[in-house]
Structure formats: C-alpha cells, structure tokens
C-alpha cells in the first residue's frame, strides 16, 4: 500500500510535479510517425504530461511540437495552416516554426520588431523507429533517445501501435510487471482449449516465485514456475525507466514491448512494439498485431479541458467491455474477449487513479513494489538535485526479455547461464 501522499507523488506528472519533472528528463514517444505522414500535412493534437500541444511536420520534414495555444490571444493552433516551414494561426496569421520562433506577424506594422520578442513553447522532436519522440525537459540537459532493439531493426521487422486508456499510467505499468495475473486474467476454463490461452510453456503453476534485480536502466525480474519433470519455467521481464517493459511473450520471436505514457493524470497512451530482430514480420503477424487494436481509441479531442474518445469502441467501461457471463462460466476466465481488453478492463476498473491505501500486496507483487520504490526515490532524488543516469546512455536500453524452461537453479544462476552479460544484453 501507499499513503495518499506517496500515491500522489507516484501518479501526478503535470508541470512542476516531482514525477512530472522526472519524466521530463527522458525522450518520450509522442505520436506515430505515420500520424504526420508528409511535409506540410495537417497538424495533430497531443496532450502529454497534462500539457496541451500540437504537432506538425514542416516543409523540410522536421517535426515541431508546440503549445496548443497561440501566444497572441490563445486560439487553438490545431486549426492552424501548415505552410512553408511553419504553422500559421488562422486567427490573426501569426506563424511559428518548429523551434517556436515567431517567423511572421502580419497583423502588426511591417516596421515592428514585436515578432522577434514572441516565442511559443516548443519541444525538440525527432523520428526514430516509426515513432515521433519528444523531449520536454531543460534544453541544457537534453539526453539520448533510448536505443531499443525494436526501434533499430528494419521497418519491416516491427509494428508499432498506440491507443489511449482511461486510467493513470502507473496502473498499466504495474499490469505489465505482474506476471501472476497471466495465470488467471488471460486463462481459459476449458482444459482442452488451454493451449490457446497463456500456457506458460505447459506450466500450470499459478504462484510464481519472483526475484527482482535493480539495473542502471530499471530492473530485470525473473518469475519461476514449476514445470513438468521437475524443471523450471522462467519468464524474465525487463522494466525500463521511466515506464517501459519488455515482456517475455512466448518462446520465439516476434516479441512485445510496451510503454505507458501519461497523457494526463487520468489517461494514458499505451504503446505496443511488436518486433522480430531475425526476420520481417509475416503478413499474418502484422494483421493480427493491427487487429488487436482496431477497436481501441487512438484519437481523441479535448473539450473544455477534458479528453474525449472519438472512436467507436466495441468494448469500453461504458458497456462493461461487453462481458459475456456465459463465456465466463464455460470458456474464458473473464468473459471478455481479447487479451488487451482484459488488461484494460482491470486497470480502468481501479478508477482513474487507484487508491493504493486500500491494497494488500503479496509476494507475487514484488516487481510492482520495486518499480514504485524506484520511481518514488528517483523523483525525490531529482528534487534534491540528483539527476537520473538512464536518460543519458541510450545503449542501456539494449536488453531483451527471456522465456525458457531449464532444469534447475535460482535467478542468478539462470541469468549467468542463459543471458548475455547477466541481464539479457543485446
Ligand atoms: S490568436 Fe493566434 S494570431 Fe491571434
Ligand atoms: Fe495482461
């Protein structure tokens, strides 16, 4: 459990909050590159860490991420004209480039130098791995983009998806590093259908033993399940600062990475990175990867400061995710179709910000406890002037997840024997 004060420290990421400052030390995924498909294409709305922003791709292909509100009289720049290396406000024609400089101010006399004194808030942005990344922190501390393996493989080897969800980012982060829920939430009732659900390589052990090892980039944790013939089934998850995870998936490629990013304190952008370092994704893998999110909201509008979905979701909290009680009795544990729907139903059902004072954590929650401790410590440290290390070494993010059945051993022995440099380095 966490006190109300600790919970607020963990969950609040708006400007000036300690956790918000920590997030602002990292390059962060802002949008899919394909959302700004071409130079001078229409701008898109973003809300990131409770800041309302607009992203546009200029004539040279560079991405600008700037304040949503025009510094003249605060009109919405989403309505702006994207033209000749700048976004022009349609109210009185002021125009801003990707650096936030006002490059034209036609509503003022030609001899005025007022435009040289006006700037709009602008954050550095860059395309990498089919994702537009943004850095929202102090200029003099600009770090490196994390060099994830999924971002460095050829485009044909990966699929990136993004969706939005109605809950605080940390609830979803905690779901990622919670291996034990896979034995329940995603399981099937009918034994003959079990292999279609989460099988854990045949292990029916629903009480995995967890071991967490802190690393420079976050931590690596192993969960050990008893398997057939006295062997152990290991699942090794990488948790990377500030809110990424590489989950083991099955025993073969492609595998998945996730990131949960705070849109604001009550909404998140979920990112899924499906990739295979060894071969291009097949047509089927690509189709299945896309189908999973077809019905999820990925676009939104802001109305009176509130975020509203503009997609038609088949399953949402409004319709109880179309839970089928008959299916729950006979087929699948939840009665809610789709793994991601099941995860989303659980994390949204906790409320927009879970009241962690009401929890009772067990041994299977060891990784969740470790992630909270780490983030809280780093946010407090930063308040004391102690800067995080991970943002400044992108190569720390060269790690992999592992799923494997082996004869024996504890976590240290497993890592030494079966992973490079002990932590799944690639
Ligand atoms: S409000 Fe944008 S130019 Fe006037
Ligand atoms: Fe899950």
């Amino acid at each position: 459990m966490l006190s109300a004060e600790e919970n607020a420290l963990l969950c609040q990421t708006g400007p000036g909050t300690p956790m918000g400052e920590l997030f602002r030390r990292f390059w962060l995924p802002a949008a899919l590159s394909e959302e700004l498909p071409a130079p001078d294409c229409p701008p898109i709305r973003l809300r990131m860490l409770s800041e309302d922003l607009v992203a546009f791709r200029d004539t040279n292909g560079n991405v600008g991420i700037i304040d949503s509100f025009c510094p003249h009289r605060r009109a919405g720049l989403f309505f702006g004209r994207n033209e000749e290396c700048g976004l022009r406000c349609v109210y009185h024609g002021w125009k801003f480039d990707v650096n936030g400089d006002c490059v034209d101010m036609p509503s003022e006399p030609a001899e005025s130098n007022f435009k040289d004194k006006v700037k709009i808030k602008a954050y550095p942005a860059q395309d990498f791995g089919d994702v537009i990344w943004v850095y929202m922190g102090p200029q003099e501390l600009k770090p490196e983009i994390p060099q994830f393996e999924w971002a460095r493989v050829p485009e044909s080897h990966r699929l990136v998806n993004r969706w939005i969800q109605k809950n605080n980012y940390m609830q979803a982060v905690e779901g990622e590093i919670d291996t034990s829920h896979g034995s329940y939430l995603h399981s099937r009732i009918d034994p003959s259908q079990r292999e279609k659900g989460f099988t854990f390589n045949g292990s029916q052990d629903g009480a995995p033993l967890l071991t967490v090892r802190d690393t420079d980039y976050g931590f690596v944790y192993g969960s050990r399940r008893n398997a057939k013939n006295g062997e152990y089934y290991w699942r090794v998850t990488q948790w990377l600062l500030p809110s990424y995870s590489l989950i083991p998936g099955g025993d073969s490629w492609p595998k998945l990475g996730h990131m949960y990013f705070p849109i604001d304190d009550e909404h998140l952008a979920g990112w899924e990175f499906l990739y295979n370092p060894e071969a291009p994704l097949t047509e089927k893998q690509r189709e299945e990867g896309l189908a999973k999110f077809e019905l999820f909201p990925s676009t939104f509008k802001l109305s009176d400061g509130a975020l509203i979905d503009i997609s038609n979701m088949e399953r949402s909290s409004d319709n109880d995710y179309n839970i089928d009680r008959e299916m729950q009795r006979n087929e699948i544990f939840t009665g809610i179709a789709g793994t991601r729907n099941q995860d989303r139903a659980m994390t949204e059902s906790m409320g927009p910000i879970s009241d962690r004072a009401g929890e009772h954590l067990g041994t299977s929650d060891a990784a969740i406890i470790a992630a909270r401790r780490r983030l809280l410590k780093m946010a407090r440290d930063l308040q004391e002037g102690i800067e995080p290390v991970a943002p400044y070494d992108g190569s720390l993010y060269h790690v992999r997840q592992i799923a494997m059945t082996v004869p024996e051993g504890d976590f240290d022995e497993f890592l030494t024997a079966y992973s490079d440099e002990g932590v799944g380095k690639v």
Side-chain angles (χ1 to χ4, degrees):
M1 63 168 271
L2 291 182
S3 68
E5 185 220 341
E6 285 173 318
N7 206 29
L9 185 58
L10 186 67
C11 297
Q12 293 176 2
T13 55
T17 60
M19 195 60 71
E21 290 305 304
L22 181 64
F23 267 80
R24 284 169 174 80
R25 288 297 194 270
F26 293 82
W27 279 95
L28 300 164
L32 294 165
S33 293
E34 69 184 33
E35 290 179 84
L36 295 177
D40 294 332
C41 64
I44 57 169
R45 292 184 174 95
L46 296 175
R47 175 177 279 188
M48 306 191 68
L49 304 174
S50 301
E51 295 183 41
D52 289 336
L53 305 165
V54 164
F56 67 101
R57 193 180 293 280
D58 77 5
T59 313
N60 297 329
N62 296 320
V63 176
I65 296 188
I66 61 175
D67 197 345
S68 170
F69 303 102
C70 177
H72 177 213
R73 297 234 319 275
R74 311 281 296 158
L77 282 165
F78 169 75
F79 299 99
R81 293 173 61 91
N82 189 7
E83 53 175 48
E84 290 166 67
C85 285
L87 190 64
R88 190 184 292 280
C89 179
V90 289
Y91 209 177
H92 313 94
W94 293 18
K95 179 174 164 182
F96 303 93
D97 68 11
V98 294
N99 301 315
D101 292 324
C102 184
V103 291
D104 194 19
M105 195 181 271
S107 61
E108 291 295 306
E111 63 277 15
S112 164
N113 67 349
F114 188 33
K115 90 169 162 48
D116 303 329
K117 297 180 185 154
V118 175
K119 262 192 95 97
I120 191 167
K121 177 171 74 181
Y123 294 128
Q126 209 176 304
D127 290 279
F128 177 54
D130 302 336
V131 171
I132 296 169
W133 298 76
V134 65
Y135 172 64
M136 299 169 68
Q139 280 312 301
E140 65 282 9
L141 295 174
K142 196 162 87 176
E144 269 188 61
I145 294 185
Q147 298 294 304
F148 280 106
E149 188 175 30
W150 61 259
R152 293 157 60 228
V153 298
E155 202 178 331
S156 55
H157 293 223
R158 77 172 156 255
L159 178 68
V160 184
N161 267 308
R162 167 176 160 270
W163 73 96
I164 65 170
Q165 214 171 292
K166 290 188 263 183
N167 57 263
N168 184 260
Y169 80 99
M170 195 60 191
Q171 282 152 232
V173 169
E174 292 174 357
E176 287 295 305
I177 50 178
D178 169 28
T179 186
S180 75
H181 83 258
S183 301
Y184 306 95
L185 183 73
H186 304 310
S187 67
R188 289 184 172 252
I189 307 293
D190 178 353
S192 69
Q193 295 289 306
R194 282 248 167 86
E195 73 280 4
K196 290 187 185 161
F198 265 44
T199 64
F200 297 112
N201 208 17
S203 169
Q204 299 296 322
D205 186 353
L209 181 72
L210 265 62
T211 315
V212 182
R213 293 277 176 273
D214 272 333
T215 62
D216 289 344
Y217 55 81
F219 61 68
V220 57
Y221 89 91
S223 66
R224 194 180 81 180
R225 286 176 166 82
N226 294 316
K228 289 178 208 146
N229 308 323
E231 293 190 312
Y232 293 136
Y233 175 56
W234 283 97
R235 289 174 69 80
V236 177
T237 302
Q238 303 282 359
W239 181 72
L240 305 107
L241 292 160
S243 56
Y244 300 91
S245 57
L246 298 173
I247 57 171
D251 300 344
S252 58
W253 297 100
K255 290 181 182 265
L256 289 172
H258 291 108
M259 204 269 178
Y260 293 101
F261 179 81
I263 291 175
D264 53 32
D265 293 345
E266 300 190 352
H267 298 86
L268 63 84
W271 288 85
E272 180 165 290
F273 316 106
L274 176 74
Y275 68 109
N276 183 349
E278 291 159 6
L281 297 180
T282 63
E283 214 39 55
K284 186 160 178 276
Q285 287 163 347
R286 206 166 271 284
E287 267 169 32
E288 285 174 358
L290 286 170
K292 220 173 3 171
F293 295 98
E294 218 165 57
L295 299 171
F296 276 39
S298 63
T299 47
F300 56 86
K301 273 186 156 181
L302 302 167
S303 170
D304 297 331
L307 183 147
I308 51 170
D309 300 340
I310 53 170
S311 56
N312 291 318
M313 258 202 300
E314 187 182 298
R315 296 171 196 280
S316 73
S317 54
D318 297 338
N319 57 23
D320 295 329
Y321 310 91
N322 275 331
I323 185 169
D324 180 334
R325 298 291 183 182
E326 199 51 34
M327 193 193 252
Q328 186 178 45
R329 195 174 304 280
N330 302 315
E331 291 179 49
I332 60 175
F333 202 70
T334 54
I336 298 170
T339 309
R340 280 285 129 190
N341 290 325
Q342 294 159 4
D343 284 319
R344 187 163 54 102
M346 292 303 99
T347 50
E348 287 184 343
S349 71
M350 296 168 182
I353 300 180
S354 177
D355 177 4
R356 291 178 173 78
E359 297 174 331
H360 299 81
L361 301 184
T363 52
S364 66
D365 300 306
I368 291 164
I369 294 166
R372 292 179 187 176
R373 276 204 192 122
R374 186 72 176 272
L375 284 172
L376 288 170
K377 179 171 187 324
M378 290 179 71
R380 288 184 178 123
D381 279 355
L382 188 56
Q383 297 295 98
E384 305 288 315
I386 302 169
E387 291 288 333
V389 173
Y392 300 97
D393 186 352
S395 70
L396 291 176
Y397 289 74
H398 291 200
V399 291
R400 280 182 180 173
Q401 59 283 67
I402 310 170
M404 197 183 273
T405 303
V406 302
E408 59 193 357
D410 63 18
F411 191 41
D412 286 332
E413 288 163 333
F414 176 85
L415 284 179
T416 306
Y418 300 103
S419 78
D420 297 332
E421 294 180 39
V423 287
K425 284 272 181 193
V426 290

